[in-house]
Amino acid sequence: MNDFSISNLLQESFENKESINPREIFESRLAELNISEYQAFNLIGLDKNSVNPILDGSIKHPSLFNVLKISDFLNIELKDLIVFLISNQQSDKIKKLETSNDFQFIQKNFDIDRLSKVGLINSKSDSSEIKKNLLEFFGFESIREYEDYALKLDMILYSSTKRNFADKMRYFSISSAYRIFERISNPNYYDRDSLKELVPKIKPYTQDVEKGLLTVCQALYSIGVTVCFQRQLTTSQFRGATFAVNRKPCIVLTDLNQNYATIWHALLHELYHVLFDFDSISSQGYHLTGEPDLLLINEKNADDFAQEFFFDSNLLRFIKPHINNELMVSQIAKKNNIHKCFVYRAFQIDMWFNHKKNFWKATKYNKHFPEIDETVKRLSPLVWETDSIPQKAKIIKEIFELNKIVE
């Protein structure tokens, strides 16, 4: 973090650790150099009326040029002298500096309009209140703590590319997910061979709308793969993401499109990336599904894997002429240990991509898709308007480690 950032200087002035005494240092320098005050003023290039108020900390509007000259003469760090001067300013001036710093911090990092719309912040104009809301959400005590975290995150996630400050909601969603995974800190060793054995056993759990996804996520957690669920943030249009946190795979699912089959498809899509792209993702820090990146991770392969896993193309060719026969659809779904909505989803995808026909909103098919609320609530999704990350991470950890039931 920049030592001369306002938040850092303010923090150090409040802590006041081992505060210097410029007056005492000045006197020591006179003795060391065996010169008079008058000679010292000449060496510095300032008169006593400019030097003494800085040495005493009583100056109201210090000139940076003068402070630089005096710190050089005193042979002390410029930052130490600035911190001393800030700590001796009147409280109203420090408050104005804090308010200015809060405003710059908020404007640089957050999309206030959109965070207000999702209910995460209570005010759009009170920078002090906004800062309080944001720090509580992330579980930080100060702006300096957040800036240290953001710097670390930028080094991990943006080492090969420059962070785009214009896409603030996307960054907010990513940084929130990473922070949750850090706080959960899955203690289990990640075992790729165990994941390869587990994946083929996932399909039958799609039939249990209420607890199936939870059961699978608990099993994944036990082999070192952590899954958490986020409510979709406006403009951050991704249905899934894979992170490398402490060298372990972590998956974010969202409720984009509010579709039961899509959530399961996103999970298998991300598990494909964990199985086959995790070394590349580890070097980059994360991968958002559907987002182009420098590693050229193949999204089509992951999509095809997920689609074929649940309902392959051979089965689709068989059922396609009978797609309006609910009994046949139910029978083929049961025989293949999947929820019947996966059959309809495979048909919708095929008709759209291969025949340019839109059946996405066809009620006769969509009525067979379960509501997602019962499914995702068991995973205790991150709800922006009510949750904080420390609180949510604790709950998710209890769900996966103690089998806590969320009602």
Side-chain angles (χ1 to χ4, degrees):
M1 186 176 126
N2 180 5
D3 281 350
F4 286 89
S5 69
I6 295 177
S7 57
N8 190 38
L9 295 172
L10 283 169
Q11 185 76 17
E12 292 201 22
S13 70
F14 295 149
E15 293 171 354
N16 208 24
K17 292 179 181 177
E18 301 176 4
S19 178
I20 62 170
N21 187 323
R23 174 61 69 182
E24 288 183 359
I25 298 172
F26 180 73
E27 297 297 337
S28 297
R29 287 288 284 162
L30 295 184
E32 178 186 341
L33 299 172
N34 192 26
I35 59 175
S36 66
E37 280 193 2
Y38 178 77
Q39 290 172 311
F41 296 150
N42 284 335
L43 284 174
I44 296 170
L46 297 171
D47 60 32
K48 66 177 183 179
N49 293 327
S50 299
V51 174
N52 286 331
I54 292 177
L55 297 178
D56 299 333
S58 60
I59 191 165
K60 293 182 178 180
H61 303 289
S63 160
L64 179 59
F65 190 64
N66 291 352
V67 173
L68 185 59
K69 282 185 171 184
I70 293 172
S71 69
D72 185 56
F73 175 79
L74 298 179
N75 197 25
I76 61 176
E77 293 290 335
L78 174 62
K79 187 188 75 170
D80 292 338
L81 185 53
I82 292 174
V83 168
F84 166 78
L85 293 173
I86 292 174
S87 65
N88 282 276
Q89 291 295 306
Q90 294 177 345
S91 58
D92 62 326
K93 288 189 177 180
I94 293 179
K95 182 65 178 177
K96 288 179 181 177
L97 192 58
E98 279 188 284
T99 300
S100 172
N101 183 51
D102 291 350
F103 179 78
Q104 292 177 41
F105 160 73
I106 291 164
Q107 289 298 315
K108 177 182 178 182
N109 292 285
F110 303 102
D111 188 325
I112 297 307
D113 285 338
R114 291 192 171 97
L115 289 179
S116 176
K117 287 177 182 176
V118 298
L120 194 143
I121 58 175
N122 301 324
S123 169
K124 292 171 66 174
S125 56
D126 186 340
S127 58
S128 179
E129 179 68 15
I130 296 171
K131 180 183 74 170
K132 177 176 175 290
N133 293 154
L134 292 169
L135 292 180
E136 285 179 353
F137 172 76
F138 280 101
F140 294 126
E141 296 292 327
S142 66
I143 288 178
R144 185 179 181 184
E145 261 193 275
Y146 176 88
E147 289 178 331
D148 286 342
Y149 169 72
L151 179 61
K152 179 186 76 171
L153 207 60
D154 289 351
M155 292 175 65
I156 295 171
L157 303 185
Y158 297 91
S159 57
S160 58
T161 185
K162 190 174 181 180
R163 172 182 165 191
N164 179 10
F165 281 94
D167 200 349
K168 295 174 185 175
M169 291 300 279
R170 173 180 165 281
Y171 182 80
F172 184 82
S173 187
I174 291 169
S175 59
S176 299
Y178 198 94
R179 178 75 170 154
I180 280 187
F181 291 130
E182 273 193 330
R183 295 291 295 243
I184 293 173
S185 188
N186 188 337
N188 298 301
Y189 172 75
Y190 168 55
D191 184 349
R192 185 175 184 273
D193 290 334
S194 295
L195 179 59
K196 288 168 66 177
E197 291 177 10
L198 175 62
V199 167
K201 302 174 184 176
I202 288 176
K203 272 203 296 188
Y205 291 94
T206 65
Q207 299 170 98
D208 183 350
V209 173
E210 187 176 337
K211 298 180 182 177
L213 185 61
L214 168 64
T215 303
V216 169
C217 290
Q218 287 173 325
L220 289 169
Y221 187 84
S222 71
I223 57 172
V225 181
T226 308
V227 180
C228 79
F229 201 93
Q230 282 186 3
R231 295 295 183 189
Q232 184 66 26
L233 276 175
T234 177
T235 76
S236 60
Q237 299 291 312
F238 65 91
R239 67 175 184 267
T242 299
F243 292 79
V245 182
N246 298 326
R247 297 181 297 280
K248 297 176 185 178
C250 297
I251 293 171
V252 178
L253 303 176
T254 75
D255 55 359
L256 180 68
N257 298 330
Q258 297 281 315
N259 186 291
Y260 181 77
T262 298
I263 291 171
W264 281 99
H265 184 278
L267 176 62
L268 265 294
H269 180 112
E270 300 307 326
L271 288 176
Y272 176 92
H273 287 318
V274 173
L275 285 170
F276 301 107
D277 301 315
F278 192 62
D279 287 343
S280 296
I281 290 171
S282 295
S283 70
Q284 181 167 303
Y286 77 106
H287 172 71
L288 295 187
T289 290
E291 179 184 82
D293 58 48
L294 297 177
L295 302 177
L296 302 178
I297 290 174
N298 196 316
E299 291 290 78
K300 186 177 186 306
N301 285 352
D303 266 335
D304 290 346
F305 168 80
Q307 184 56 42
E308 291 291 306
F309 176 84
F310 288 114
F311 199 70
D312 65 41
S313 51
N314 291 326
L315 289 172
L316 178 60
R317 278 192 292 271
F318 169 76
I319 198 63
K320 195 172 175 181
H322 313 289
I323 195 66
N324 293 318
N325 186 323
E326 293 185 14
L327 179 59
M328 287 190 68
V329 170
S330 295
Q331 287 175 339
I332 198 170
K334 185 175 182 180
K335 184 177 179 180
N336 287 276
N337 296 313
I338 56 173
H339 192 281
K340 61 184 176 182
C341 71
F342 288 92
V343 181
Y344 294 113
R345 185 182 186 278
F347 172 76
Q348 290 171 326
I349 290 173
D350 175 70
M351 295 304 290
W352 175 253
F353 287 102
N354 296 325
H355 306 285
K356 301 303 178 186
K357 293 184 178 180
N358 187 347
F359 285 93
W360 296 117
K361 296 183 179 180
T363 303
K364 63 181 178 180
Y365 305 134
N366 290 343
K367 68 181 181 180
H368 300 289
F369 286 71
E371 296 292 330
I372 68 169
D373 289 345
E374 281 300 312
T375 303
V376 302
K377 81 173 186 180
R378 300 284 176 174
L379 294 173
S380 190
L382 183 60
V383 181
W384 309 104
E385 60 265 36
T386 58
D387 290 333
S388 72
I389 286 176
Q391 164 209 34
K392 184 56 62 176
K394 181 175 182 292
I395 292 171
I396 294 172
K397 197 171 179 69
E398 289 174 348
I399 289 171
F400 290 150
E401 293 183 5
L402 304 177
N403 295 320
K404 179 179 178 181
I405 303 298
V406 178
E407 299 295 348

